[in-house]
Amino acid sequence: MKKYLYIGMGFLTFGLGTVGMFLPFLPTTVFYLLTGFFWVHSSEKLHKQFVESEKYKQYIEGPLLKKNITNPGMVRMFVMMLFVFAIPFALTDSALLRIVLIIVYLAHLIGLTWHLRFRKSKKM
């Protein structure tokens, strides 16, 4: 029963991740990471098929594991994050919340740039 639950959750997160390629408010990478988690716990065949897929290599292996992300990819990632942070920024009247959103966005900007550009990747 547990195996089938993991398989189903893997398909759900895979579908959401694929839709996230076209919708900026759905995080593709997070859903693909969850897909890998669910499928590694359910079926070796599904997990192997997933990690050999082109989308996994494009969204997970290249940018996160090998830290091989292009400048346009970095810009696109930060623009999408800006869009996601801009929604609550526009919907709130609280100056404190707006300041916190700006600080968190800048922390993401600096932290992810450092992590993806200057930190050494692990050998695979």
Side-chain angles (χ1 to χ4, degrees):
M1 182 70 168
K2 185 176 169 181
K3 176 181 175 178
Y4 296 113
L5 180 64
Y6 279 137
I7 290 172
M9 292 300 293
F11 277 111
L12 176 67
T13 55
F14 181 76
L16 289 171
T18 303
V19 171
M21 287 187 280
F22 307 103
L23 299 175
F25 53 86
L26 280 178
T28 299
T29 303
V30 173
F31 284 119
Y32 278 179
L33 286 170
L34 284 170
T35 300
F37 170 80
F38 287 129
W39 283 353
V40 80
H41 286 89
S42 66
S43 164
E44 184 62 36
K45 179 183 172 186
L46 282 174
H47 181 256
K48 183 178 178 189
Q49 186 177 4
F50 175 65
V51 296
E52 291 175 354
S53 73
E54 200 57 40
K55 294 302 178 189
Y56 174 85
K57 291 177 182 179
Q58 179 182 357
Y59 288 98
I60 304 294
E61 186 177 295
L64 295 180
L65 300 179
K66 293 183 179 176
K67 300 190 180 165
N68 182 21
I69 188 167
T70 62
N71 287 336
M74 289 274 286
V75 169
R76 185 176 54 176
M77 176 179 63
F78 290 130
V79 167
M80 286 184 184
M81 285 176 54
L82 180 64
F83 178 73
V84 169
F85 277 86
I87 294 170
F89 186 89
L91 294 176
T92 186
D93 293 330
S94 170
L96 179 62
L97 181 57
R98 286 183 172 178
I99 291 169
V100 168
L101 285 168
I102 291 169
I103 291 170
V104 170
Y105 177 75
L106 291 174
H108 277 82
L109 188 77
I110 294 165
L112 285 171
T113 301
W114 173 78
H115 179 73
L116 295 173
R117 288 287 186 227
F118 303 114
R119 203 163 169 229
K120 293 186 180 195
S121 63
K122 294 179 182 177
K123 298 284 183 188
M124 292 190 75

